[in-house]
Amino acid sequence: MLDASIRNKYTAVIGLEVHAQLLTNSKMYSSDANEYGNMPNTNISVITLAHPGTLPKVNKKAVEYAVKMGIACGSTITRDNHFARKNYFYPDLPKGYQISQDKTPICVGGKIEIKLKDGQERSIGLTRIHMEEDAGKSIHMAEEVDTLIDLNRAGVPLIEIVSEPEIRTSDEAYAYLTEIRKLVRYLEICDGNMEEGSLRCDANISVMLNGAKEFGKKVEVKNMNSIRNVQRAIEHEIERQIIEIEKGNTIVSETRTFDATVGDTHSMRAKEDMNDYRYFPEPDLSPLIITEEYLNEVKAKMPPLPNELYKKFTKQYGLSEYDALVLTDTKEVALYYDELCSLTKNYKAASNWIMGPVKSYLNELTLSIEEFPVKPAQLADLIALIDANKVSFSVASQKIYPELTKGTTKSALEIAEDLNLIQVGDQDFIQQVVDEVLAANPAKVQEYKDGKKGLLGMFMGEVMKKSKGKADPKLASELLAKSLD
Amino acid sequence: MSLIHKEMKKVDHDTLKKMAHLSRLEFDQANGEKMINSMNEILDWVEKLNEIDTDAVAPLITMSEEVNQLREDVVKEELPHEKGLQNAPKRDSDYFRVPKVME
């Protein structure tokens, strides 16, 4: 571990490049399937295999998804787009070039708003978001003399989201990636699964003395398959660079790979040996013009975004930041809560219900909220019953809610009536129950009178049990105390 | 373009080696000098274009007037697995096989 006094002399400068596989049906430039997990080399076409004489054609949906991401990040959408060839040789790239965007990325600028653990908020600027295609998969196996090539992934549409070098800590990088994953999931343009590689991240990291004007030499770190591992890799790389500099060594620009099992990084190649990609305009694709009309069409299709809902939940519904963050974690839960709040005014109770009984029900059965059998209207009705003192919370959560989760069309009130659970505020009824309870426990009554006042809770429990939870607890405890004294 | 700088740096032996590497081609060392010369001749010839002032001319990116030739996001089974693999120099029942690539 690096001594904090040394560590604190340095500032880290981090920029992230995130690749997101788009959830289209077909590929970026050809109509073979974009589908994960199929038998090798079954999602292929002559275009994917780069047969001579074949021509690519841009997937409309992929463009729409890239534009959506740009709108969500507040980027400027480029009106005149063209595609570019990025040339390099690798066996999983059949054409010998990747069709990407170079001079005209579809989105320019914009930002990602992040929230840190200590509640601080920051915004991280974006350089650009551009469209491109994925490469195939090379499988290197120790016992094989050959490398095996699977081209199912070749040509899958990607957006690459490039941040400005404005990230300063691994915590910020963690929050940034979490936010990007949330965004692409809200937009339903990428499933955000880092373990399966549908969301990937490379980190550019350098360190400099605090207050320095010039950034240090940057090192690119690859091969992190979870957000947590990105954080670990950055943390490790910052320390490694500081230790090297403190030893009097210079940092070389290079690409390093992260080893998740030990948590350190190894050099892959020096930047000088890196490819010269010789970008040039793709002659096989016509320019892509984004019109005002098209932009407005896409804007009209935008779902509510996590930050908008977060603001609504904290400002309009008065939730705590923590509650709002939990409820906006996925769009589906956030929209369920929002709908619930259009049916009840007790926003806090609505949030407690979702974060409590609803979440635990879903977790227990590993369901998503779309599969949740209780409709927001039914839950709102249940909250109204509690608020009107018709049932206690415990009766609601233990008797009525389980009935609702069985998937009924009945309202909470109908269930309460069917099961005879409506709380009785009738003094005569409750007095009668109190009398019965006291008559049935003469010994305990004597103990109470001898000073064991703690028994009141026991009597209360008996009253509630005998009334099947229907006695208004406030009235019951008043009558009980009066009868005993 | 990083290979050919604005001031038209002449092709030397390093450039030739770099180009051979980038295009994954081998060349006969004995012919190196000859190749350098003919590349420089090509550059000189292209250099003629710099005599024209193009400052006010937008780069020509495409010859066609067409824009927005887009495709609907529909899957078509275009190439069966077996057909896709059939011309591969080396293959097995699932994969294309290539000489071992070392990272």
Side-chain angles (χ1 to χ4, degrees):
Chain A
M1 263 306 267
L2 190 57
D3 192 78
S5 65
I6 298 171
R7 168 75 204 243
N8 292 341
K9 291 197 302 184
Y10 290 89
T11 302
V13 177
I14 303 156
L16 297 181
E17 290 168 15
V18 176
H19 284 92
Q21 279 182 348
L22 299 178
L23 282 173
T24 53
N25 298 320
S26 64
K27 291 184 178 177
M28 182 71 207
Y29 308 109
S30 57
S31 56
D32 33 340
N34 168 18
E35 212 171 271
Y36 181 83
N38 286 349
M39 290 294 287
N41 296 304
T42 51
N43 304 342
I44 51 175
S45 65
V46 287
I47 297 173
T48 298
L49 300 188
H51 280 275
T54 57
L55 289 172
K57 204 165 183 187
V58 173
N59 186 336
K60 215 182 217 177
K61 205 85 198 170
V63 174
E64 181 190 317
Y65 286 177
V67 170
K68 274 188 169 168
M69 188 63 180
I71 294 172
C73 299
S75 312
T76 305
I77 307 299
T78 302
R79 298 314 180 92
D80 295 349
N81 288 269
H82 60 261
F83 293 86
R85 288 189 183 177
K86 177 180 177 176
N87 300 279
Y88 67 93
F89 280 115
Y90 206 78
D92 56 25
L93 184 78
K95 292 192 296 296
Y97 56 84
Q98 176 194 35
I99 308 180
S100 180
Q101 290 191 292
D102 178 35
K103 297 276 193 294
T104 61
I106 186 138
C107 313
V108 178
K111 59 184 188 312
I112 300 285
E113 309 275 3
I114 61 169
K115 295 179 194 72
L116 299 168
K117 283 197 204 90
D118 58 8
Q120 226 185 305
E121 295 188 13
R122 266 204 75 191
S123 98
I124 305 294
L126 296 183
T127 312
R128 58 189 279 165
I129 301 171
H130 65 259
M131 298 180 284
E132 60 186 29
E133 59 179 329
D134 213 338
K137 222 172 227 161
S138 300
I139 301 153
H140 316 282
M141 290 199 291
E143 70 275 19
E144 287 281 359
V145 284
D146 296 324
T147 289
L148 310 181
I149 306 290
D150 175 10
L151 296 175
N152 282 351
R153 197 181 66 181
V156 163
L158 297 174
I159 49 171
E160 180 176 338
I161 306 153
V162 184
S163 85
E164 290 286 297
E166 291 178 355
I167 299 167
R168 290 290 171 269
T169 66
S170 64
D171 284 346
E172 288 181 3
Y174 187 92
Y176 173 86
L177 278 174
T178 306
E179 209 53 44
I180 287 201
R181 186 175 60 183
K182 203 192 288 180
L183 265 182
V184 296
R185 285 179 174 168
Y186 262 73
L187 295 169
E188 294 177 46
I189 61 173
C190 169
D191 65 21
N193 189 335
M194 286 195 73
E195 287 73 21
E196 283 179 8
S198 58
L199 194 71
R200 306 194 286 267
C201 176
D202 300 333
N204 288 303
I205 305 160
S206 68
V207 298
M208 59 182 180
L209 282 168
N210 297 339
K213 290 271 172 297
E214 213 170 299
F215 291 171
K217 277 265 168 57
K218 75 175 176 197
V219 170
E220 185 179 20
V221 182
K222 288 178 175 293
N223 194 33
M224 292 87 74
N225 67 347
S226 70
I227 296 183
R228 172 81 189 110
N229 277 342
V230 173
Q231 189 181 24
R232 285 172 69 205
I234 290 172
E235 207 45 51
H236 175 271
E237 184 57 23
I238 291 171
E239 295 216 341
R240 188 192 68 83
Q241 291 186 19
I242 293 174
I243 289 166
E244 288 298 313
I245 293 170
E246 287 287 318
K247 277 195 221 154
N249 298 333
T250 46
I251 301 297
V252 285
S253 284
E254 60 178 348
T255 301
R256 299 177 72 87
T257 177
F258 178 67
D259 182 344
T261 48
V262 278
D264 65 5
T265 62
H266 306 281
S267 181
M268 278 169 81
R269 56 179 176 261
K271 279 275 178 218
E272 293 80 78
D273 306 332
M274 293 275 283
N275 274 305
D276 174 350
Y277 291 122
R278 295 151 294 151
Y279 281 99
F280 65 86
E282 167 58 80
D284 289 343
L285 289 172
S286 63
L288 171 71
I289 309 292
I290 305 287
T291 61
E292 191 67 34
E293 190 192 355
Y294 176 80
L295 251 187
N296 289 334
E297 264 172 47
V298 179
K299 275 182 191 157
K301 280 195 268 187
M302 292 289 283
L305 297 173
N307 272 332
E308 295 165 11
L309 290 171
Y310 176 84
K311 276 190 195 116
K312 185 175 183 186
F313 292 0
T314 49
K315 300 251 156 64
Q316 196 175 324
Y317 299 152
L319 294 191
S320 71
E321 288 172 1
Y322 175 80
D323 289 356
L325 207 55
V326 172
L327 288 172
T328 52
D329 189 42
T330 70
K331 180 171 69 174
E332 292 71 24
V333 170
L335 291 182
Y336 187 96
Y337 174 70
D338 199 31
E339 191 180 341
L340 185 54
C341 287
S342 69
L343 301 165
T344 176
K345 289 280 163 286
N346 196 343
Y347 307 133
K348 182 63 190 157
S351 141
N352 290 343
W353 269 96
I354 293 180
M355 288 168 58
V358 176
K359 274 267 166 89
S360 57
Y361 175 84
L362 296 176
N363 287 345
E364 206 171 299
L365 299 173
T366 56
L367 294 176
S368 70
I369 199 153
E370 292 122 301
E371 299 163 293
F372 185 53
V374 185
K375 299 279 162 291
Q378 293 172 305
L379 201 50
D381 191 30
L382 187 55
I383 292 170
L385 283 185
I386 301 168
D387 289 349
N389 268 326
K390 291 204 170 140
V391 296
S392 65
F393 176 78
S394 60
V395 165
S397 63
Q398 286 159 28
K399 300 254 167 65
I400 304 174
Y401 176 69
E403 286 302 313
L404 287 172
T405 59
K406 288 177 188 163
T408 172
T409 53
K410 283 184 183 163
S411 71
L413 178 62
E414 284 167 332
I415 293 172
E417 281 169 347
D418 285 359
L419 299 179
N420 196 18
L421 293 170
I422 297 292
Q423 203 155 270
V424 178
D426 174 356
Q427 192 155 338
D428 293 344
F429 166 75
I430 298 174
Q431 186 63 53
Q432 194 189 327
V433 177
V434 167
D435 291 345
E436 283 171 28
V437 167
L438 297 186
N441 296 286
K444 298 278 180 203
V445 172
Q446 194 53 49
E447 278 179 52
Y448 178 87
K449 290 201 164 145
D450 291 345
K452 212 169 167 193
K453 301 291 178 202
L455 283 169
L456 190 62
M458 188 279 290
F459 288 123
M460 190 61 194
E462 287 298 308
V463 169
M464 294 313 283
K465 211 197 285 173
K466 214 168 175 71
S467 72
K468 298 203 172 66
K470 283 161 59 184
D472 175 352
K474 220 166 127 197
L475 189 55
S477 104
E478 274 172 33
L479 292 176
L480 196 54
K482 214 189 269 173
S483 305
L484 279 164
D485 291 333
Chain B
M1 297 269 274
S2 50
L3 278 180
I4 306 154
H5 296 288
K6 190 90 179 149
E7 67 274 21
M8 284 296 162
K9 193 180 78 177
K10 293 288 177 187
V11 173
D12 57 18
H13 201 76
D14 284 344
T15 319
L16 182 66
K17 261 170 64 185
K18 189 177 176 191
M19 288 176 71
H21 171 72
L22 286 173
S23 44
R24 300 294 188 273
L25 292 173
E26 286 170 23
F27 65 94
D28 184 356
Q29 296 290 336
N31 282 333
E33 210 52 41
K34 200 173 144 198
M35 291 171 79
I36 289 170
N37 286 340
S38 48
M39 281 182 190
N40 278 323
E41 274 170 34
I42 296 169
L43 288 184
D44 289 341
W45 184 70
V46 175
E47 178 71 2
K48 288 291 279 179
L49 292 176
N50 274 342
E51 290 170 17
I52 305 162
D53 180 9
T54 55
D55 283 354
V57 183
L60 179 70
I61 290 166
T62 170
M63 295 296 287
S64 162
E65 299 282 309
E66 279 188 329
V67 296
N68 293 357
Q69 292 299 303
L70 301 175
R71 181 176 56 78
E72 294 298 329
D73 181 28
V74 177
V75 176
K76 292 181 192 150
E77 297 283 339
E78 284 199 68
L79 195 59
H81 172 75
E82 193 47 43
K83 247 186 149 173
L85 285 171
Q86 85 180 3
N87 289 336
K90 195 171 182 192
R91 52 166 292 194
D92 58 33
S93 57
D94 290 329
Y95 295 99
F96 295 95
R97 284 176 168 264
V98 299
K100 194 119 189 165
V101 184
M102 289 304 194
E103 261 290 273

